[in-house]
Coordinates of all heavy atoms in Angstrom, one line a residue:
L1089 N -0.9 2.7 -8.8 CA 0.3 2.6 -9.6 C 1.2 1.5 -8.9 O 1.2 1.4 -7.7 CB 1.0 4.0 -9.5 CG 2.3 4.1 -10.3 CD1 2.0 4.0 -11.8 CD2 3.0 5.5 -10.0
T1090 N 1.8 0.7 -9.7 CA 2.7 -0.3 -9.2 C 4.2 0.0 -9.4 O 4.5 0.8 -10.2 CB 2.4 -1.7 -9.9 OG1 2.9 -1.6 -11.3 CG2 0.9 -2.1 -9.9
V1091 N 5.0 -0.7 -8.6 CA 6.4 -0.5 -8.7 C 6.9 -0.8 -10.1 O 7.7 -0.1 -10.7 CB 7.2 -1.3 -7.7 CG1 8.7 -1.4 -7.9 CG2 6.9 -0.8 -6.3
L1092 N 6.3 -1.9 -10.7 CA 6.6 -2.3 -12.1 C 6.3 -1.2 -13.0 O 7.2 -0.9 -13.9 CB 5.9 -3.6 -12.4 CG 6.1 -4.1 -13.8 CD1 7.6 -4.6 -14.0 CD2 5.2 -5.3 -14.1
E1093 N 5.2 -0.5 -12.9 CA 4.8 0.5 -13.8 C 5.7 1.8 -13.7 O 5.8 2.5 -14.7 CB 3.4 0.9 -13.6 CG 2.4 -0.2 -14.0 CD 1.0 0.0 -13.4 OE1 0.8 0.8 -12.5 OE2 0.1 -0.6 -14.0
T1094 N 6.4 1.9 -12.6 CA 7.3 3.1 -12.4 C 8.7 2.8 -12.9 O 9.5 3.6 -12.9 CB 7.3 3.6 -11.0 OG1 7.9 2.5 -10.2 CG2 6.0 4.0 -10.5
G1095 N 8.9 1.5 -13.3 CA 10.2 1.1 -13.8 C 11.2 0.8 -12.6 O 12.4 0.7 -12.9
H1096 N 10.7 0.6 -11.4 CA 11.6 0.4 -10.3 C 11.6 -1.1 -9.8 O 12.2 -1.4 -8.8 CB 11.2 1.3 -9.1 CG 11.4 2.7 -9.4 ND1 10.4 3.6 -9.5 CD2 12.5 3.4 -9.7 CE1 10.9 4.8 -9.8 NE2 12.2 4.7 -9.9
A1097 N 10.9 -2.0 -10.5 CA 10.8 -3.4 -10.1 C 12.2 -4.0 -10.3 O 13.0 -3.7 -11.1 CB 9.8 -4.1 -11.0
G1098 N 12.5 -4.9 -9.3 CA 13.7 -5.7 -9.3 C 14.9 -4.9 -8.9 O 16.1 -5.3 -9.1
Q1099 N 14.8 -3.7 -8.5 CA 15.9 -2.8 -8.1 C 16.3 -2.9 -6.6 O 17.2 -2.2 -6.2 CB 15.6 -1.4 -8.5 CG 15.5 -1.2 -10.0 CD 15.3 0.3 -10.3 OE1 15.3 1.2 -9.5 NE2 15.0 0.5 -11.6
A1100 N 15.5 -3.7 -5.9 CA 15.8 -3.9 -4.4 C 15.9 -2.5 -3.7 O 16.8 -2.3 -2.9 CB 17.0 -4.7 -4.2
W1101 N 14.9 -1.7 -4.0 CA 14.9 -0.4 -3.3 C 14.7 -0.6 -1.8 O 13.9 -1.4 -1.4 CB 13.6 0.4 -3.8 CG 13.9 1.4 -4.9 CD1 14.9 1.5 -5.7 CD2 13.0 2.4 -5.2 NE1 14.8 2.6 -6.5 CE2 13.6 3.1 -6.3 CE3 11.7 2.8 -4.7 CZ2 12.9 4.2 -6.9 CZ3 11.1 3.9 -5.3 CH2 11.7 4.6 -6.4
P1102 N 15.4 0.1 -1.0 CA 15.2 0.1 0.4 C 13.8 0.6 0.7 O 13.3 1.5 0.0 CB 16.2 1.0 1.0 CG 17.3 1.2 0.0 CD 16.6 1.0 -1.4
D1103 N 13.2 0.1 1.8 CA 11.8 0.5 2.1 C 11.7 2.0 2.3 O 10.7 2.6 2.0 CB 11.4 -0.2 3.4 CG 11.2 -1.7 3.2 OD1 11.0 -2.1 2.1 OD2 11.3 -2.4 4.2
E1104 N 12.8 2.7 2.8 CA 12.7 4.1 3.0 C 12.5 4.8 1.6 O 11.8 5.8 1.5 CB 14.0 4.6 3.6 CG 14.3 4.2 5.0 CD 14.9 2.8 5.1 OE1 15.1 2.1 4.1 OE2 15.0 2.3 6.3
Q1105 N 13.2 4.3 0.6 CA 13.0 4.9 -0.8 C 11.6 4.7 -1.3 O 11.1 5.5 -2.0 CB 14.1 4.3 -1.7 CG 15.4 5.1 -1.7 CD 16.3 4.5 -2.8 OE1 16.9 3.5 -2.7 NE2 16.4 5.3 -3.9
V1106 N 11.1 3.5 -1.1 CA 9.8 3.2 -1.6 C 8.8 4.1 -0.9 O 7.9 4.7 -1.6 CB 9.4 1.7 -1.2 CG1 7.9 1.4 -1.5 CG2 10.3 0.7 -2.0
L1107 N 8.9 4.3 0.4 CA 7.9 5.3 1.1 C 8.2 6.7 0.6 O 7.2 7.4 0.4 CB 8.1 5.1 2.6 CG 7.1 5.9 3.4 CD1 5.7 5.5 3.1 CD2 7.5 5.8 4.9
A1108 N 9.4 7.1 0.4 CA 9.7 8.4 0.0 C 9.1 8.7 -1.4 O 8.5 9.7 -1.7 CB 11.2 8.7 -0.1
F1109 N 9.2 7.7 -2.3 CA 8.6 7.8 -3.7 C 7.1 8.0 -3.6 O 6.6 8.9 -4.2 CB 9.0 6.6 -4.5 CG 8.4 6.7 -5.9 CD1 9.1 7.3 -6.9 CD2 7.2 6.1 -6.2 CE1 8.6 7.4 -8.2 CE2 6.7 6.2 -7.5 CZ 7.4 6.9 -8.5
A1110 N 6.5 7.1 -2.8 CA 5.0 7.2 -2.7 C 4.6 8.6 -2.1 O 3.7 9.2 -2.6 CB 4.5 6.1 -1.7
T1111 N 5.4 9.1 -1.1 CA 5.1 10.4 -0.5 C 5.3 11.5 -1.6 O 4.5 12.4 -1.7 CB 6.0 10.6 0.7 OG1 5.7 9.6 1.7 CG2 5.7 12.0 1.3

Side-chain angles (χ1 to χ4, degrees):
L1089 183 65
T1090 68
V1091 170
L1092 180 63
E1093 292 165 340
T1094 63
H1096 296 115
Q1099 294 182 8
W1101 263 18
D1103 294 334
E1104 295 83 0
Q1105 274 188 282
V1106 173
L1107 185 59
F1109 180 86
T1111 299

